[in-house]
Amino acid sequence: MAIGVKVLKRPTRETSYLRATLKGMALTFSHLWRPKVTMQYPEEKSSKDWTISSRWRGTHRMLTDEQGRAKCVACGLCPQICPANCIKLVPGEDEDGHRYPLIYEIDEFRCVFCGYCQEVCPEEAIHVGVHYENSEYSRDRFVYDLERLCAQTHPVSTLWDPSDPKGE
Amino acid sequence: MTFFLIASAVKVFVVFNLIMVGVALLTLAERRICAWMQDRLGPNRVGPQGLLQPAADGLKNFLKEETSPALADKTLFTLAPLISFVPALLTFAVIPFAAPLPTPWGPVAMVVADLPVGFLYILAISSLGVYGIVLAGWSSNNKYSLLGGLRATAQMISYEISLGMSTVAVLLLAGNVTLSQVIAQQQQGAWFVVSLTLAFIIFMISALAETNRLPFDLPEAEGELIAGYHTEYSAMKFSMFYIAEYSNMVTASALMATLFFGGWDIPFTSWDQTGEPSVLKTVATLAAFLAKTGFFLFTYIWIRWTLPRFRYDQLMALGWKVLLPLSLGYLAVIATAIWYLHAQLGWTYGTPFALALGAVNLVLVVLLVWWLDRGRLVSGSMAEEAA
């Protein structure tokens, strides 16, 4: 005994390997019959224990007006605020002086899904969405053009509301 | 003679395939039971309830790349998986698994080879398996593999002694080393688990160590030795170690069922071992044997997913300081008891004989439990008390 390790005297029921072993065996056996927590993912995407949050920031979605045109007015705020610099916007103007995006592309690979674009948008046009299954066979497919952004149908993110921080 | 040869060949073929299928299903059972114990579902995608998972695993292992370390001893490196694989399958040959099957050419004993030296054969062959592990560790030219192989050697040798000692009690009582005679003896009285409870406990613990299963899987010990002796193995060579481990489990479970739980005997009836052999009897006794073996296999898995691994000095302390003296002492007591009942009272083995021995065992087990239940038994390098 080189170093002064303090060994506590404990009652047998706390130090008995035998009882601990039997207790452990009983515990594992009882777990055999308990309900399982596994969610069988592709078939089952939410359970009573877990659903995706309505504040989830995923694949972008561009909302459209009644005529099916993108609500975007090409103000340029979203490419300005985007910290990842993933939004490409080339503005255009029609005969009536309405501005609209000639090119609107979001590179989902560069995007950090901060949701600033949705927050900053004055027209509530661009949104991050409650959606997470993005797989493609080619890398170019991850640059979403305007048409594809408009065609998304998933719900849009509610983002975090400072007046209701817990989402109640 | 021709009939004997054909019957043996058929039995070898059937038993080999049954064991391989059993091993495959056992890997699945292990993963699923482990999952259930952890409140998960486990692999259930390939086929109904995941039943084809072993086939998928096997296919994967066939297609994987065979790696071979540059400085490994090529011959031994290739030979080692075979050396651990073959004895694991060989041992099952002498275990009777059902009542004789009637055929137009006479009854066929449901055992691949009913060797007169049955049990000695098992001891001899099963100790060969360790060579595969040691050679795998040595030939890999890897320090972790070598350590795993070293540990395997020491562990196997230590526990083989108590394993042998615990079975000597069985042989004393049966008066025979032929496994079919051991079963016949148990059918006359009670199963040996009644008359030799403590031997069963020792045998079970030693068998866990012999098959390198948790809590005694120190040769693998992934926490400290990566994967121990099979660190350098891949693809089918790795798979062979895996199959060897599981077939060792099957054999050890079958052996526990045979030596202590009456083998293929159906309890509380003598219908299965008397009268003419019939197909129904063979099937029923086979079911009984499978149920017993399956129970022990489940226990193996159950223990694995409950208990943590022993420290190495604890393993050695348990083997040499506890199990060896225990089995020796037990042997002395049980030999005296058998001698007294046999020679002094003139009893032959039967239910009263078994119950008398059972009473002795009950006392011993109670004493053992009382002695074990004091806290800190296998403390190894732990100092008793700081002054």
Side-chain angles (χ1 to χ4, degrees), chain A residues 6 9 31-32 34 52 54 56 72-73 75 77 105 117 138 151 159:
Chain A
K6 188 177 174 191
K9 261 256 176 269
H31 269 273
L32 274 179
R34 294 198 194 170
I52 189 167
S54 64
W56 177 272
C72 179
V73 295
C75 63
L77 280 174
E105 284 175 358
C117 49
S138 146
L159 292 187

Side-chain angles (χ1 to χ4, degrees), chain A residues 1 3-10 12 15-21 23-29 31-43, chain B residues 32-33 35-42 44-45 298-299 302-303 305-307 314 368-370 372-379 382-387:
Chain A
M1 198 71 227
I3 43 172
V5 178
K6 188 177 174 191
V7 179
L8 291 178
K9 261 256 176 269
R10 290 181 198 277
T12 310
T15 51
S16 166
Y17 280 110
L18 196 67
R19 293 188 213 181
T21 303
K23 224 155 98 185
M25 299 283 281
L27 183 73
T28 43
F29 194 76
H31 269 273
L32 274 179
W33 320 109
R34 294 198 194 170
K36 309 300 171 214
V37 295
T38 307
M39 232 167 78
Q40 305 212 50
Y41 162 64
E43 290 92 27
Chain B
R32 293 224 68 184
I33 290 174
W36 292 335
M37 284 178 175
Q38 297 166 355
D39 292 349
R40 298 182 287 117
L41 285 174
N44 62 351
R45 291 285 159 156
F298 171 75
T299 314
W302 183 14
I303 288 174
W305 296 102
T306 304
L307 300 181
Q314 291 175 329
L368 177 71
V369 168
W370 173 80
L372 283 176
D373 194 28
R374 300 166 310 153
R376 289 230 166 82
L377 170 69
V378 272
S379 52
M382 178 76 204
E384 282 304 312
E385 188 83 12

Side-chain angles (χ1 to χ4, degrees), chain B residues 237-269:
Chain B
K237 289 205 202 100
F238 170 76
S239 206
M240 277 165 100
F241 279 120
Y242 212 71
I243 296 172
E245 182 192 330
Y246 280 88
S247 26
N248 271 327
M249 261 171 79
V250 173
T251 311
S253 304
L255 211 53
M256 271 189 265
T258 306
L259 290 179
F260 296 100
F261 284 78
W264 46 264
D265 180 40
I266 301 173
F268 309 118
T269 169

Side-chain angles (χ1 to χ4, degrees), chain B residues 238-358:
Chain B
F238 170 76
S239 206
M240 277 165 100
F241 279 120
Y242 212 71
I243 296 172
E245 182 192 330
Y246 280 88
S247 26
N248 271 327
M249 261 171 79
V250 173
T251 311
S253 304
L255 211 53
M256 271 189 265
T258 306
L259 290 179
F260 296 100
F261 284 78
W264 46 264
D265 180 40
I266 301 173
F268 309 118
T269 169
S270 57
W271 164 78
D272 54 325
Q273 72 256 22
T274 50
E276 286 295 300
S278 72
V279 177
L280 180 65
K281 277 180 192 171
T282 306
V283 173
T285 49
L286 180 64
F289 178 75
L290 289 181
K292 291 170 195 173
T293 311
F295 172 75
F296 286 115
L297 287 173
F298 171 75
T299 314
Y300 260 102
I301 296 172
W302 183 14
I303 288 174
R304 169 163 181 187
W305 296 102
T306 304
L307 300 181
R309 185 177 299 126
F310 274 70
R311 217 170 50 210
Y312 197 68
D313 59 306
Q314 291 175 329
L315 173 92
M316 284 294 143
L318 181 67
W320 291 104
K321 293 187 196 162
V322 180
L323 288 183
L324 180 60
L326 189 66
S327 53
L328 275 173
Y330 179 68
L331 203 55
V333 172
I334 213 71
T336 316
I338 292 173
W339 168 79
Y340 186 74
L341 290 174
H342 248 313
Q344 299 301 108
L345 301 182
W347 291 10
T348 49
Y349 191 75
T351 314
F353 195 109
L355 289 180
L357 279 181

Side-chain angles (χ1 to χ4, degrees), chain B residues 42-97:
Chain B
N44 62 351
R45 291 285 159 156
V46 195
Q49 292 298 309
L51 274 176
L52 293 178
Q53 183 72 41
D57 289 342
L59 189 67
K60 185 195 81 171
N61 271 323
F62 270 117
L63 297 177
K64 278 179 92 167
E65 185 189 356
E66 293 263 5
T67 55
S68 178
L71 292 175
D73 183 329
K74 285 280 180 320
T75 321
L76 290 181
F77 189 75
T78 319
L79 209 57
L82 292 171
I83 298 178
S84 73
F85 176 76
V86 172
L89 290 173
L90 274 181
T91 30
F92 204 85
V94 292
I95 297 177
F97 49 87

